[in-house]
Amino acid sequence: MSEIREAHLDNGLTVLLKPVRTAPVATFWVWYRVGSRNEVPGITGISHWVEHMMFKGTPTLSKGEIMHLINRNGGVDNAFTSSDYTAYFELLPSDRIDLALRIESDRMVNALFEPEEVASERTVIISEREGAENEPRFWLGEEVLAAAFKVHPYHHDTIGWKIDLETMTRDDLYSHYKTYYAPNNAVIVAAGDFDADEMLAKIQKAFGALPRGKDIPPVKSVEPPQEGERRVVLRRPGPTSYFHAAYHAPKASAPDYFPVFVLVGVLTGVGGMSFSGHGSPGRSSRLYRALVETGLAVDVDCSFRATIDPGTLDVTATARPGVAIEKVERAIFAELEKIATKRITENEFAKVLKQARSQFVYAADGVMNVGGWLGQLEVVASYKMYETFLDNLNKVTRADVLRVAQKYLGETNRTVGWFVPSNDGARKGRR
Amino acid sequence: MNSTLPITPETITRVTLANGLTILVKDNPNNASVTLRGRMRAGGLFDAPPVNGLAHFATAALQRGTRKRTFQKLNEELDRFGMSFGIGAGTETIGFSGKALVEDFDRLLNLAADVVMHPIFPRSETEKLRAEILANLKQADDDTQHVAYREFRKLCYPASHPYHRLSDGTATTVKRLTLNQLREFHARYFRPDVTTLVIVGDLRADHAIEKIERAFGKWRARGTPEPHAIPVASPLKQIARRVFPLDGKTQADLVLGYPGLRRTDPDYYALSIGDLIFGRLGLYGRLGENVRERQGLAYYVFSSIEAGIGAGPWSVRAGVNPKNLDRALEGILAEIARLRSAQVTQDELSEARDFITGSLALRLETNDGVAATLSDIELFDLGLDYLQRYPQIVRAISAEQILAAAQKYAQIENYALAIAGPVDRRQ
């Protein structure tokens, strides 16, 4: 595979290019270093809402025109927001990729935020949140996050608190946009069927004249060490009980990232390596065998996202209807204790390495995934992590895995959440 | 870069083995992996109402133990080599798919053949699976989108029709299914002469075929296969509307629609382009423009045609706050009325055509995308030159044809509508 080309424009814009000339397709991404991590009470959810407003037009590309142009050129586009970033992408036939540069350079500085558009989008955003509220897991996740982080803004979910969605103003949104959307706070990633020199010249032409923005306000919050287990119990109508434990975990750029990655791989398998950090659990993994094969849970998962600041390692499970949640919790904690007591086996370690290697190959099929991986890693740590990922995994030792298990999986470092159904099913489930 | 289509009669090798198994291979040297995709013309359509869920349960049980592998051994093998494999039954087809590095392809193939040909339905593992299916059904009963769709299908198709039911069954039927019924289902419907195997990846076609022959060549079937057909569904004759209150929910999810058409129906392209303009293109087409953009009523509102072997539904799905339910429905029905009363504009039509033809390359960018397309081409007998003909087929569709198709399949006076969420039964 070709090398990754890195460039920096004078206005502070970072550019990463990866030619992949296997299909007549190219993808173009802009990653802004802003997400719910940059939000304070009163405007939670604002980064995500700004993302929606970026499709509402500029003086030269009216609302809807972006979409029509993408359609006309046989492309797809979308955007998403997380705690650490807001990302926009286009996937187009490679001879049409200039369109992406035109759209992205325009809305990096010229988005309009017309009041009537803000008003109609408010109810759309609230509807997005209300759709999530239909899921018991959403409520539990929000509750656990809020308890696990009392100081750091990882405290709130990316969608934001409902009251903030109801009350924040057009000016709040516009000012957030003006603060964080600038070349010096963005990373461009292009991957696909193009020549790197030509693409860089085009990017220089489209983005080079955009003015550098003011310095970005730093996130100063540091979550203090947790000094005892925290517990939350949620009682709402639902079909069964749900379990969620969050352990404070290392950030992506920390040396412990890779040993924890292996740890998670042993617990749950290295699932589909999409850049969300979440995959389907391997059925030979420890948690699947201890929870699902024994009939205690319908599903169990362990996830560990790559984040800018120290985030969490999350173990979640859905209790089989009729099984008491205490039993599910005991089985999970028993597995975590075991992995923090005794080294993982050579076989388990080899399995994780092989799974990661395969997943890397699978994820390189198609330029979208490549663009997504590079951008995410650059924002949370460095894109170089992509190239050295497997080497770094290979350097991990079984002793390292034991050490990080002891360091992070302790009782005092965890927040435990239970969703207990409050309707009839619940009473049945408790027996 | 070579911009020729990955699927043409020249680039695909298609052979049928002596036992009737059809194989399609596409060599792609650009990624060191192989995608395997199998499809059988069998599924929930063969389940009589009292055994609804049999195809689904029997197929899921195949991985729970085979002649050579216990469930645990099979899982260990998949994980040890970073491979994936899954098998499942829908209403019309049974599908399996797997992925492995090229170096492990033989292993994946042998595992797949073992699962498909030699399941043993071990009692204790199969009972565990039954409990998992029942647990999943219970969770689905609490999922507003799922409940709305499930109930929509009941309203849209008569009880005698296979589309009346979802293929995973109900708690009542799944509890009653016996191990013998599972075994019989496998023995009767799993046969090479209804199966297509698609391989896309970094290996030569002749080598791939040799390996497949070694793994699947001894698979035999007796007699002739059951006719793989879905009965016609008659148009709706009234408004069938049902509301399902669910506790603890914020949003109401709705599904509104009609019996649609078969994939091979001559109206397919007209209705499908009409549907794209109506409820999909960009951010959900006209529906999205009206209900989401203009009125801000819903985060999601879109339409889809499930044209398959039979006339699957054409439906609109949306999630709204209960207080906006009536306005959202008015908006949806107004757009249906508009699609039926006037031709789409030339602008809309040319945008839809440009999108469909232009985005073809995007769908064929990965091994998985090529495999899925090949599998459809085979199932619906479209021919290996299909993608070469496709742009002309799409360009030939006129606004008149779209209007005629919309008038034929959508109605304002007669439709099926199911709503699930924090709503009153009288709503």
Side-chain angles (χ1 to χ4, degrees), chain A residues 262-276:
Chain A
V262 175
L263 175 74
V264 172
V266 173
L267 287 172
T268 199
V270 182
M273 234 156 138
S274 64
F275 42 92
S276 63

Side-chain angles (χ1 to χ4, degrees), chain A residues 56 68 71-72 123 127-128 130 133-134 193 236 239 242 284 293 351 354-355 357 361-362 365-367, chain B residues 31 72 79 82 100 103-104 138-139 142 144 248-251 293 296 299 321 347 350-351 365 367:
Chain A
K56 302 288 184 176
H68 292 305
N71 294 340
R72 286 275 179 190
T123 45
S127 168
E128 186 174 354
E130 290 181 342
E133 287 178 358
N134 276 16
D193 179 28
R236 288 181 55 83
Y242 297 84
S284 76
E293 273 205 29
K351 215 157 65 169
K354 172 76 190 228
Q355 285 177 23
R357 188 158 74 81
V361 172
Y362 305 156
D365 186 18
V367 296
Chain B
N31 186 275
Q72 290 72 19
D79 284 356
E103 69 212 46
D104 302 314
K138 180 150 198 274
Q139 280 203 85
D142 184 67
T144 46
K249 305 299 180 189
T250 317
Q251 174 172 281
E293 286 304 304
Y299 173 63
N321 188 290
D347 214 37
S350 68
E351 182 172 332
E365 194 218 347
N367 285 350

Side-chain angles (χ1 to χ4, degrees), chain A residues 192-210:
Chain A
D193 179 28
F194 55 76
D195 174 84
D197 289 332
E198 278 173 33
M199 179 55 81
L200 186 57
K202 283 180 187 177
I203 290 171
Q204 175 68 46
K205 198 169 161 218
F207 292 86
L210 302 182

Side-chain angles (χ1 to χ4, degrees), chain B residues 3-26:
Chain B
S3 59
T4 49
L5 286 166
I7 299 175
T8 68
E10 291 73 38
T11 58
I12 304 298
T13 307
R14 182 183 184 282
V15 297
T16 302
L17 301 184
N19 62 7
L21 178 72
T22 300
I23 305 168
L24 293 134
V25 187
K26 161 71 185 162

Side-chain angles (χ1 to χ4, degrees), chain A residues 17 51 74 156 161 203 225 231 237 249 284 298 341 372 411 422 431:
Chain A
L17 304 175
E51 175 222 302
H156 66 271
W161 301 111
I203 290 171
R231 280 192 174 261
S284 76
V298 178
T341 311
E411 185 186 332
S422 59
R431 258 182 243 133

